[in-house]
Amino acid sequence: KTKKTTKTKHGVRVFILQRNECDAPSLLEKYERLLSKRELDSIQIESLHPETKKERLQTRAMVRTVLSSILNEGREGRKPSQRKVVDPSSLEFTFNEKGKPFLKQSTTTTTTTSSFANSNEEEESTNSFSTSSMSSENLDIQFSVSHSKNVVAMAVTTDGRRVGIDCEVEKRRTKDACLKLAKRYFRKGEAVERIETALAKEEELGRRMFVRYWCLCESYVKALGVGISGRPFRNFDIAVTEKKNDDDEREDISLFESDPETFGRWRFQLFRETPTIKVKEDERSIVAVCVEDDDEDED
């Protein structure tokens, strides 16, 4: 039930999961069998809302199935005796000092103890999961995950480039006025100016503009692996060149960092999800992908 999309121009593989397409009880039971005890314990906390429990289960199952599928791709042409198929349930995850999860690839066996439960990063609502440098079949995997109302989005690179992804309901309403939030969180620059201009034309247009910039900023701090608290949005600005027409989803997006020497070069892409089932227009999500730029010669 995971849909792989090609909506990236920078070599990032993006996977979109429509959550209400895979919520049958029998399917959720299969997902549970992929998880470790620690993961199951984190999902079965009594205080969690049932929908939150289901979303966590679907997200963890997605991470495991996508990564195992990628790890197994290089083994398909081998003789059966030479294959070591990586089972989703065999993946093992570790955490850094900030509670950020990393994928650990076993070098001796594919049936290892798995662990992928709550982290401090989840508590900060960054919803981002990445791997450390990990080599298997010449792969160096990095990944990131995000979710909105009915979507779980996952971005993966296999060449070691850091990557971040964020998805947001494009027409979501914020508790506070979006211009107030923009001035509080964003650096004074293009984002605030464009949101203010859009609001002057139409309130809904301004809200959508705010969500777009928020989504892009989130994808960047997730790619850095630090979240909002580690790299506040006020430390950088993002410029978006207008699309030529409504059908053109590939915009030119530039990052202006206050400390580019430390944080490096990055590329972005922003697009709308393409639901495989009927979804209300006001529930559709936008997805932002940020990936490390390894081409020093490109403008």
Side-chain angles (χ1 to χ4, degrees):
K1 293 295 184 179
T2 299
K3 175 188 174 186
K4 184 171 72 174
T5 125
T6 56
K7 289 185 179 292
T8 172
K9 55 185 178 180
H10 304 305
V12 181
R13 301 172 68 172
V14 178
F15 300 80
I16 303 293
L17 179 73
Q18 300 288 336
R19 292 187 52 236
N20 56 5
E21 270 196 303
C22 54
D23 58 1
S26 59
L27 196 55
L28 295 177
E29 288 180 7
K30 291 181 180 179
Y31 290 166
E32 288 184 357
R33 291 197 289 270
L34 299 179
L35 273 55
S36 68
K37 182 180 184 302
R38 182 178 180 182
E39 291 172 312
L40 290 173
D41 289 344
S42 73
I43 291 171
Q44 295 168 352
I45 299 173
E46 292 185 4
S47 59
L48 287 179
H49 188 279
E51 195 62 27
T52 302
K53 294 180 180 180
K54 183 167 65 176
E55 174 229 286
R56 289 189 178 185
L57 173 59
Q58 292 168 324
T59 300
R60 284 154 176 72
M62 178 183 182
V63 168
R64 288 180 172 278
T65 54
V66 167
L67 292 182
S68 63
S69 176
I70 290 174
L71 290 169
N72 285 325
E73 285 176 355
R75 298 173 167 88
E76 292 178 356
R78 295 183 177 185
K79 296 179 180 179
S81 60
Q82 295 177 329
R83 294 177 189 168
K84 283 189 177 181
V85 177
V86 179
D87 187 272
S89 63
S90 73
L91 297 180
E92 183 179 349
F93 296 86
T94 58
F95 303 87
N96 67 10
E97 66 279 2
K98 291 187 177 181
K100 187 177 183 62
F102 292 83
L103 176 66
K104 183 173 72 173
Q105 177 67 13
S106 173
T107 57
T108 57
T109 177
T110 59
T111 56
T112 57
T113 303
S114 56
S115 176
F116 192 84
N118 283 340
S119 68
N120 293 334
E121 189 172 50
E122 271 193 358
E123 294 172 2
E124 293 176 1
S125 298
T126 62
N127 302 309
S128 176
F129 306 89
S130 301
T131 69
S132 57
S133 295
M134 180 276 296
S135 296
S136 176
E137 304 296 333
N138 298 319
L139 298 182
D140 189 356
I141 294 177
Q142 298 279 330
F143 72 98
S144 179
V145 178
S146 181
H147 63 83
S148 60
K149 185 172 183 177
N150 188 44
V151 166
V152 180
M154 181 175 179
V156 183
T157 63
T158 57
D159 56 6
R161 288 178 300 158
R162 291 174 291 172
V163 66
I165 193 168
D166 189 59
C167 60
E168 307 282 349
V169 174
E170 189 173 19
K171 293 187 177 181
R172 79 173 191 186
R173 291 183 176 273
T174 56
K175 293 181 180 179
D176 296 323
C178 59
L179 182 58
K180 180 181 177 181
L181 290 172
K183 290 181 176 180
R184 180 190 305 168
Y185 288 101
F186 295 152
R187 184 179 183 179
K188 186 176 181 180
E190 176 177 310
V192 174
E193 292 172 2
R194 291 189 66 182
I195 292 167
E196 193 166 15
T197 300
L199 281 169
K201 296 178 180 179
E202 184 182 346
E203 183 180 353
E204 182 178 316
L205 184 63
R207 288 201 307 268
R208 291 174 64 179
M209 187 71 68
F210 169 80
V211 171
R212 284 157 58 87
Y213 276 100
W214 186 276
C215 198
L216 287 165
C217 291
E218 280 270 21
S219 71
Y220 173 55
V221 297
K222 289 178 180 180
L224 290 176
V226 296
I228 301 174
S229 62
R231 193 61 181 163
F233 296 169
R234 285 186 173 276
N235 290 311
F236 58 90
D237 193 18
I238 292 177
V240 182
T241 303
E242 292 285 354
K243 295 187 296 183
K244 296 178 180 179
N245 54 66
D246 291 338
D247 295 326
D248 183 10
E249 292 188 335
R250 295 189 173 186
E251 301 165 295
D252 289 326
I253 304 170
S254 302
L255 172 71
F256 297 93
E257 248 289 357
S258 61
D259 188 5
E261 293 299 320
T262 299
F263 293 97
R265 293 159 53 96
W266 300 84
R267 293 187 175 274
F268 295 83
Q269 188 164 344
L270 184 70
F271 58 90
R272 288 186 178 88
E273 61 150 330
T274 304
T276 55
I277 59 175
K278 188 174 181 180
V279 176
K280 294 180 181 179
E281 183 63 27
D282 60 357
E283 293 183 356
R284 288 188 62 181
S285 296
I286 57 170
V287 180
V289 178
C290 174
V291 64
E292 198 167 15
D293 182 10
D294 60 356
D295 189 349
E296 297 295 338
D297 297 325
E298 188 171 338
D299 295 329

